Amino acid sequence: MNTSQKLRYTLSTKPRQRVHGCLNWYNILNIDLTDCWGIRLRKGKKLLGQIFVEFAETPKKQLTAWLFCFAINPLYRENGYGTMLLKKAEEFIAKNSDAEIVLLHAQKESEDTLIPFYEKRGYQKAQRDPQCNDEYVLWKEL
């Protein structure tokens, strides 16, 4: 295998980043990601996927990690890259914080696919979030 074709992860903490849309990969967003970490999976120069992490305290002062903007390039789906990227984010959280709970939203438009994906990886469905398009919140203990 050519070394330029090896899989590699990159970590970014830039405050402004170009992010691929979760529902439409080709919709590029320029968003403020102050105090967030972006993890990207690449193969050579090709971007295969992305996931972002933000830490927050609950009202009971419990540190949690929120995952967001998790997306895999449609050209590379069904190859295990989503699972790899999700595991890498969980490893990053465990290594770099005291967060014991990981939270994320399943976009309503794709929840029939996303919820089984997350449940297979140990996440549990909580409730719908009325402040976020009534999407399901899923959680997992690390």
Side-chain angles (χ1 to χ4, degrees):
M1 177 188 268
N2 184 332
T3 57
S4 68
Q5 295 301 303
K6 288 186 178 179
L7 294 177
R8 64 185 171 89
Y9 295 94
T10 58
L11 179 67
S12 177
T13 57
K14 290 188 236 174
R16 297 266 320 152
Q17 295 190 39
R18 294 183 69 211
V19 177
H20 289 267
C22 296
L23 298 175
N24 179 355
W25 176 262
Y26 302 103
N27 181 24
I28 306 295
L29 311 168
N30 287 304
I31 59 176
D32 182 8
L33 295 173
T34 304
D35 298 325
C36 298
W37 289 261
I39 302 169
R40 292 181 170 94
L41 177 60
R42 299 177 186 278
K43 187 173 188 177
K45 293 183 178 182
K46 296 176 182 156
L47 178 62
L48 306 182
Q50 67 187 20
I51 192 167
F52 290 83
V53 179
E54 179 178 32
F55 297 103
E57 279 190 352
T58 66
K60 294 181 182 180
K61 302 294 183 196
Q62 180 181 24
L63 184 64
T64 60
W66 278 94
L67 300 179
F68 64 100
C69 290
F70 179 24
I72 300 296
N73 183 326
L75 299 175
Y76 302 101
R77 291 182 184 159
E78 303 297 326
N79 289 298
Y81 297 132
T83 299
M84 292 168 59
L85 198 48
L86 186 60
K87 283 182 183 177
K88 183 58 87 173
E90 292 170 355
E91 290 169 6
F92 172 82
I93 293 164
K95 183 178 179 182
N96 294 287
S97 78
D98 294 327
E100 296 177 3
I101 303 286
V102 178
L103 300 164
L104 53 86
H105 284 100
Q107 290 82 13
K108 275 181 115 172
E109 297 84 350
S110 302
E111 67 184 23
D112 291 343
T113 304
L114 292 175
I115 290 173
F117 172 84
Y118 291 126
E119 288 177 334
K120 185 176 179 183
R121 286 146 187 89
Y123 285 79
Q124 298 178 45
K125 189 167 57 171
Q127 73 283 345
R128 289 194 179 273
D129 183 350
Q131 296 178 356
C132 191
N133 196 29
D134 209 30
E135 296 173 343
Y136 272 112
V137 174
L138 289 96
W139 66 276
K140 178 179 182 178
E141 283 188 49
L142 292 181

